[in-house]
């Protein structure tokens, strides 16, 4: 990439020929000016100079990631390796753009392992998810099997469930917790950082498609299902080979779980449950393999997982219904 002098930068400040520098990187915004949401006038006003301060007063750093293709060079005298974009996973030096603990402030909650995990998850989000997020969100596309497996095998499914026994067998399946964090070291602050980095995508629909249904259904399986079920489904879910969702909401029951009308009755041989009722608004349900379904049996709430007609009660997940 070419080195651009201040004099060269200053020559590009007329309509149709507009360059500007942000944090050491030089961008050709000549064509983009016509598409700028704030109009071309403000770009023409500041073209031909370093606009780092003005830019960050109005934009997030993510805007530069989106338009990285407009970079044409590096401003003469700028520090090597700098720039607002940095390497994937880099910690920003922009004031207040990060949790203070990652910009040099002391914290009793965050340590080196949290920094490593944050940078590993951020790099994954920036390199794997950001390039497809906008198009997938606008098209209403849900993640295909390849992407779901990539999420699982990179540890992104397991860490968003928080600390728990599901972390220990990951290494035996060839999966590492991002940042090399040990299972016994992983805490809720690590989990929070993972959700934060996914949230930076800024597209709620696309973010939910990456495991919102899994995140509220898999814990029921890991906590309450039989050992045989956990051993069978656990690797499938955490590796992204299969997808689970939570099936509670109904036309007449949403957050008011006690009002659900779906029923579960055992078959005469006592081996299966017959579930009757309607379920709606099942997050990620369009491409799920397993459904953790809430149903009423004699005023007792049961959680059942099912797939392809097979049902099993999640042990210990029985609750008396009020009213």
């Amino acid at each position: 990439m070419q080195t651009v002098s201040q004099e060269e930068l200053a020559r590009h400040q007329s309509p149709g020929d507009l360059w500007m520098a942000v944090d050491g990187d030089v961008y050709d915004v000549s064509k983009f000016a016509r598409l700028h949401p704030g109009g071309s006038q403000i770009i023409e006003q500041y073209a031909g100079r370093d606009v780092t301060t003005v830019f960050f007063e109005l934009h997030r750093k993510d805007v530069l990631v989106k338009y990285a293709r407009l970079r044409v060079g590096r401003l003469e005298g700028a520090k090597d390796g700098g720039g607002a974009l940095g390497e994937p996973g880099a910690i920003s030096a922009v004031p207040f753009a990060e949790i203070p603990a990652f910009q040099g402030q002391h914290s009793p909650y965050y340590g080196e392992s949290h920094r490593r995990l944050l940078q590993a998850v951020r790099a994954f989000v920036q390199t794997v998810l950001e390039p497809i997020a906008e198009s997938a969100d606008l098209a209403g596309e849900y993640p295909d099997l390849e992407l779901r497996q990539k999420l699982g095998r990179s540890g992104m499914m397991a860490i968003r469930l928080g600390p728990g026994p599901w972390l220990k067998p990951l290494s035996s399946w060839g999966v590492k917790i991002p940042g090399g964090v040990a299972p016994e070291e992983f805490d809720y602050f690590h989990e929070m950082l993972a959700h934060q980095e996914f949230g930076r995508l800024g597209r709620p629909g696309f973010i939910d498609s990456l495991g919102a249904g899994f995140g509220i259904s898999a814990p029921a399986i890991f906590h309450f299902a039989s050992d045989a079920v956990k051993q069978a489904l656990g690797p499938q879910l955490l590796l992204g080979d299969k997808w689970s969702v939570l099936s509670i909401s109904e036309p007449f029951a949403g957050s008011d779980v006690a009002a659900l009308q779906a029923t579960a009755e055992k078959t005469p041989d006592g081996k299966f449950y017959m579930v009757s009722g309607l379920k709606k608004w099942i997050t990620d349900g369009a491409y799920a393999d397993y459904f953790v379904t809430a149903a009423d049996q004699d005023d007792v709430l049961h959680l059942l997982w099912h797939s392809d007609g097979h049902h099993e009660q999640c042990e210990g997940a029985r609750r008396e219904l009020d009213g």
Side-chain angles (χ1 to χ4, degrees):
M1 188 171 291
Q2 66 174 314
T3 299
V4 180
S5 67
Q6 293 285 356
E7 292 75 16
E8 173 69 12
L9 176 63
R11 284 196 285 269
H12 300 273
Q13 56 174 324
S14 57
D17 183 17
L18 304 167
W19 286 15
M20 53 179 53
V22 179
D23 206 11
D25 288 323
V26 179
Y27 298 82
D28 182 349
V29 293
S30 305
K31 296 180 179 179
F32 171 75
R34 299 194 301 270
L35 306 174
H36 184 243
S40 62
Q41 292 84 356
I42 191 169
I43 290 183
E44 294 170 2
Q45 177 183 346
Y46 286 97
R49 54 179 133 162
D50 188 332
V51 297
T52 301
T53 300
V54 174
F55 179 88
F56 284 117
E57 286 178 349
L58 300 172
H59 305 86
R60 298 190 311 172
K61 181 183 68 175
D62 298 353
V63 174
L64 296 178
V65 176
K66 182 177 181 180
Y67 293 103
R69 65 183 183 279
L70 301 182
R71 279 189 296 175
V72 294
R74 187 91 178 129
L75 194 62
E76 186 177 31
K79 294 181 179 179
D80 292 337
L85 299 183
E87 294 298 320
I91 300 291
S92 174
V94 176
F96 308 110
E98 303 282 359
I99 293 173
F102 303 125
Q103 292 187 326
Q105 300 297 315
H106 172 72
S107 171
Y109 308 110
Y110 301 101
E112 181 57 31
S113 68
H114 297 93
R115 174 187 288 271
R116 296 198 312 270
L117 179 129
L118 180 148
Q119 292 189 269
V121 176
R122 180 173 295 180
F124 180 89
V125 170
Q126 291 175 340
T127 58
V128 177
L129 301 179
E130 280 187 357
I132 64 172
E134 184 171 15
S135 60
D137 193 53
L138 291 174
E141 298 174 350
Y142 52 78
D144 57 19
L145 179 60
E146 181 181 356
L147 178 55
R148 299 200 299 269
Q149 290 177 331
K150 191 172 294 185
L151 286 162
R153 285 157 171 75
S154 63
M156 299 298 163
M157 302 306 294
I159 63 174
R160 288 183 290 156
L161 293 181
W166 43 83
L167 297 176
K168 293 182 180 180
L170 291 179
S171 60
S172 65
W173 305 330
V175 176
K176 294 182 179 180
I177 296 176
V181 180
E184 59 274 12
E185 189 180 13
F186 191 90
D187 60 25
Y188 289 109
F189 288 100
H190 290 101
E191 180 197 359
M192 186 202 72
L193 292 171
H195 291 302
Q196 170 188 281
E197 293 309 309
F198 272 70
R200 288 181 185 273
L201 290 167
R203 299 168 181 84
F206 179 68
I207 294 170
D208 281 355
S209 77
L210 301 175
F214 163 86
I216 56 178
S217 60
I221 295 173
F222 285 112
H223 283 297
F224 302 121
S226 66
D227 289 340
V229 170
K230 285 187 279 192
Q231 291 173 8
L233 270 62
Q236 298 178 21
L237 296 175
L238 294 176
L239 292 175
D241 295 331
K242 299 291 183 179
W243 213 251
S244 68
V245 294
L246 187 64
S247 180
I248 289 182
S249 296
E250 301 177 359
F252 298 99
S255 299
D256 183 12
V257 178
L260 61 81
Q261 299 178 7
T263 60
E265 297 293 339
K266 279 200 169 183
T267 54
D269 59 13
K271 295 181 178 180
F272 304 99
Y273 280 96
M274 293 294 293
V275 180
S276 300
L278 297 175
K279 295 294 182 181
K280 291 178 67 67
W281 309 297
I282 303 173
T283 303
D284 299 347
Y287 47 99
D289 300 286
Y290 301 114
F291 295 76
V292 176
T293 303
D296 176 18
Q297 182 187 30
D298 299 327
D299 291 330
V300 175
L301 174 65
H302 292 256
L303 285 179
L304 310 163
W305 74 268
H306 63 95
S307 175
D308 298 328
H310 182 73
H311 303 75
E312 177 173 322
Q313 181 175 336
C314 292
E315 298 174 353
R318 305 172 69 248
R319 298 289 184 269
E320 297 291 341
L321 294 174
D322 295 325

